[in-house]
Amino acid sequence: MKNGSVGYLIDLDADPFIPNGWSAVEHIKGGKFEYDPTKIILYLSKEQKEKEDKGRDLRKELRNLKVYNANLLDFYLKKENQFLIPEEWENAFFWGTVYNSSSGTISIRYLHKVKGEWCWSYRWLDGFWNKDDPAVVFTVGLNK
């Protein structure tokens, strides 16, 4: 069944997609996830809401939350699944997979749109995240 909430099983334990020349620094496994949009939210730290948050500080804070990894990002990017992506998810970051990019920078991949088409891009960990750069997290166990 493909009604947006039942019928998709995403393996969050599988090895992530690794772009050419990159490597995975960290990949937090999340089990087999039966897609349910009610179990996914966008999270902003207090600092992001007020101004901006440094990437390394945000990463430390997100360790206390259950973040989704890039396997969910890549599930969304399949052409047949893109209808599931809420429009407000542009710039949604998948902190459960942290990469070393081909330029040697620690980076996080995120959903992005180019000319109306969904794709991915990345931001360096040493950058800043503001209110337009939420993390994708599980709602279960969220205490904030």
Side-chain angles (χ1 to χ4, degrees), residues 22-50:
W22 290 33
S23 61
V25 173
E26 178 179 41
H27 183 67
I28 300 169
K29 296 184 177 191
K32 305 278 193 251
F33 174 61
E34 186 169 340
Y35 181 75
D36 180 349
T38 67
K39 294 182 180 173
I40 307 169
I41 65 164
L42 299 180
Y43 173 84
L44 293 170
S45 70
K46 180 181 176 193
E47 289 78 13
Q48 283 178 283
K49 290 176 186 175
E50 293 175 359

Side-chain angles (χ1 to χ4, degrees), residues 111-122:
L111 281 170
H112 186 60
K113 264 191 170 178
V114 175
K115 296 182 182 179
E117 296 292 322
W118 287 106
C119 60
W120 65 268
S121 192
Y122 66 98

